[in-house]
Amino acid sequence: QLFATPLTMSEDNMSMSDLLPLVAAALNDQAAADAAEELAAAREERDTSHKVEVLRAINDGDDKVYEDGETIVYGSALFEDGQYHSRNEDDWKIQLNKSRNICRLEDLRDCQVCVGGGIAIASLDELSNESYGWVNGDETDHPDLDGDACSIKIEFRPQSTILTFFIRGWPKAEWKAVMEEEDAYAEHDIIPFLVENVAVQYPEAIVEFKSIKFSTKKIHGALKRLLPPKRKEQVRADREKRKIEYEGRQEVVEFVESNMRERGIFYLFHWMAIVVLMIGIQKRSEFFDRVIEALIAKCERSGMFTEEEAHEIMTTMEEQQCSEDLGSDDEKSPNPVRGPK
């Protein structure tokens, strides 16, 4: 009797069978989602360990360390996103990404430069005896310096690490006066000067952390271990390119120097070298050598001149060169184009 009735597939069993592929797909999707989440967490953990950050730890107003205290990040970037400095291949410069958090100038002393997720390598609380800083004004290679913003540089010794930040809300007339006054502040005490003087006078002043520059001699191991293979190849190629460009500029400067010595006007050498580089002469060539000689001849006749005048001389010589080249091509052509008689 047990098996008298033949086994048949019920409607419920049929519907379950139909659902099995969907269940399997859902399980696979969940596994894929879990794997993606684990990968994202691992990537975030890895990025955190590779980050260079400027941050501020909040405590209860005393010197104790609170593990649950809030940490505010003001600027950060991955170490491998840096590059060799444009003017010095011995420096590794990292541009910091600005966060949404605002750092008030009065809180500057609480900030630290950290690596590896929060390991402090430099503190703005108190500079060591060898460390110092200075008001750099509008002399900076950061293109977003605008308005009344003032550039400040702090060099931490003996690591030779340089932190650059902007102060906004400090009137330009005021910081220019500070730059012109020799005894306005002591370089070693620039942080107390900014916090106790400037921030008190201008309580709305804020700080934007822009970049951190490391000496490659101090971080050689990090450059070897932290840069991925492809990034390392890019960095090496970029360094070689910069090296070639630097050597080209050096040859230009040496050519300017030798010519001005011969003409007895070497006292204007530094000015002339800057003018030549500013108008775009970054390497030697037959044409560029003639332009440099023409500029030096003008300097010998009438002294210093403006960058615009130097541009005009080079532009005129370029036009003459083009005309000569076209004339030469016409002469070589078997059927030269003749103008009307």
Side-chain angles (χ1 to χ4, degrees), residues 214-231:
F214 296 96
S215 168
T216 55
K217 296 177 182 178
K218 304 290 184 179
I219 58 167
H220 183 66
L223 288 172
K224 291 183 65 176
R225 299 179 64 187
L226 296 182
L227 296 188
K230 287 186 178 180
R231 178 62 179 146

Side-chain angles (χ1 to χ4, degrees), residues 94-154:
I94 302 172
Q95 302 282 1
L96 296 173
N97 300 313
K98 181 183 176 182
S99 78
R100 288 178 291 182
N101 300 314
I102 296 176
C103 177
R104 302 178 73 87
L105 182 56
E106 63 184 8
D107 296 326
L108 186 62
R109 272 182 166 153
D110 298 328
C111 297
Q112 297 175 326
V113 178
C114 297
V115 296
I119 302 172
I121 59 172
S123 174
L124 290 168
D125 181 20
E126 186 175 344
L127 301 182
S128 67
N129 291 332
E130 296 180 347
S131 300
Y132 60 96
W134 63 97
V135 178
N136 214 40
D138 52 10
E139 298 177 11
T140 179
D141 52 4
H142 291 279
D144 57 340
L145 182 69
D146 54 9
D148 284 351
C150 177
S151 173
I152 306 291
K153 289 186 180 292
I154 307 291

Side-chain angles (χ1 to χ4, degrees), residues 260-261 264-272 299-300 303-304:
M260 296 194 76
R261 283 188 184 277
I265 51 174
F266 179 72
Y267 65 95
L268 290 174
F269 156 65
H270 291 96
W271 165 79
M272 178 59 73
C299 176
E300 186 179 21
M304 297 172 66

